[in-house]
């Protein structure tokens, strides 16, 4: 009986998770895995939040980019899936926040260049963890440079700065 319930719960979470996304399945799978690990839960739902861009909100909050992460209908955090430019292409990244908008995890989901992939290292990405949306990141001050990955490091740092600024403004406007 217990095994059937766990199987049913797993199928339900997967169905709810996939219905909330229109992202490619490989990205959906990576996002789910990171949410499971970061929030230590197998059962969660994602509630998409959509906000219009403005001078104050510069990150892309169109459909299927920003989500409330809910467990038993209680807010446990937020997930943002974005993309940023690299030298000749773009890469997808994920930023997970707790309910107080403190960065819990930053992860490069898909990197398409031959060079610069070092920005996906856990060690480099840990620089963002534990910081609030009020934090500004500056290369070679509170963010380390990576030789051979200057464009990607700059792009990821800028993307997270824009995200932090946008979330800070949304919080001031009491939208989150």
């Amino acid at each position: 009986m217990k095994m059937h319930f766990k199987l049913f719960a797993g199928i339900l979470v997967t169905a709810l998770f996939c219905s909330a996304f229109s992202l490619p399945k490989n990205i959906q799978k990576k996002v789910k895995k990171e949410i499971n690990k970061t929030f230590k839960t197998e059962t969660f739902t994602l509630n998409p939040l959509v906000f219009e861009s403005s001078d104050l909100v510069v990150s892309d909050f169109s459909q299927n980019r920003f989500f409330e992460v809910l467990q038993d209908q209680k807010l446990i955090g937020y997930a943002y899936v974005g993309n940023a430019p690299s030298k000749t292409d773009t890469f997808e990244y994920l930023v997970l926040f707790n309910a107080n908008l403190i960065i819990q995890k930053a992860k490069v989901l898909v990197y398409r260049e031959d060079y610069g992939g070092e920005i996906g290292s856990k060690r480099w990405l840990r620089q963002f963890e534990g910081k609030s949306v009020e934090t500004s990141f500056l290369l070679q001050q509170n963010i380390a440079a990576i030789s051979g990955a200057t464009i990607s490091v700059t792009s990821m740092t800028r993307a997270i700065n824009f995200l932090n600024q946008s979330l800070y403004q949304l919080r001031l406007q009491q939208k989150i």
Side-chain angles (χ1 to χ4, degrees):
M1 183 74 164
K2 257 186 173 175
M3 185 62 127
H4 292 297
F5 178 75
K6 285 184 178 182
L7 179 64
F8 175 74
I11 291 170
L12 180 63
V13 166
T14 301
L16 288 171
F17 182 81
C18 291
S19 68
F21 274 104
S22 66
L23 295 171
K25 288 191 188 255
N26 65 326
I27 292 177
Q28 289 178 30
K29 187 176 179 180
K30 291 175 182 183
V31 169
K32 180 182 180 201
K33 179 181 172 186
E34 292 306 318
I35 290 172
N36 286 342
K37 283 188 341 188
T38 302
F39 295 110
K40 296 174 179 49
T41 181
E42 292 276 331
T43 57
F44 63 88
T45 55
L46 295 175
N47 179 36
L49 300 175
V50 178
F51 304 106
E52 291 185 28
S53 293
S54 71
D55 291 338
L56 299 174
V57 179
V58 293
S59 290
D60 180 5
F61 287 99
S62 59
Q63 191 168 3
N64 299 319
R65 289 272 178 211
F66 187 61
F67 302 88
E68 291 177 319
V69 180
L70 306 169
Q71 183 179 32
D72 298 325
Q73 298 187 353
K74 180 184 176 215
L75 178 69
I76 60 172
Y78 298 94
Y80 182 83
V81 179
N83 62 14
S86 53
K87 186 174 183 179
T88 62
D89 209 337
T90 62
F91 61 91
E92 272 72 43
Y93 64 91
L94 168 70
V95 181
L96 297 175
F97 296 87
N98 68 14
N100 296 316
L101 294 173
I102 305 295
I103 297 174
Q104 301 298 294
K105 179 88 172 187
K107 177 145 180 97
V108 174
L109 299 171
V110 178
Y111 193 81
R112 298 178 180 88
E113 299 278 355
D114 293 333
Y115 299 101
E118 296 87 354
I119 66 162
S121 77
K122 291 177 186 178
R123 182 175 179 218
W124 188 80
L125 290 166
R126 261 190 241 126
Q127 298 174 93
F128 299 103
E129 293 177 11
K131 307 295 190 296
S132 76
V133 295
E134 296 171 12
T135 303
S136 290
F137 298 104
L138 301 167
L139 286 175
Q140 298 184 349
Q141 289 185 22
N142 60 356
I143 296 295
I146 300 174
S147 179
T150 305
I151 293 170
S152 298
V153 164
T154 302
S155 183
M156 183 69 167
T157 303
R158 180 178 292 151
I160 293 182
N161 273 332
F162 287 159
L163 179 58
N164 275 358
Q165 292 167 11
S166 297
L167 291 172
Y168 180 74
Q169 287 300 320
L170 290 168
R171 186 171 67 183
L172 286 178
Q173 297 169 22
Q174 298 181 342
K175 293 185 178 182
I176 55 173

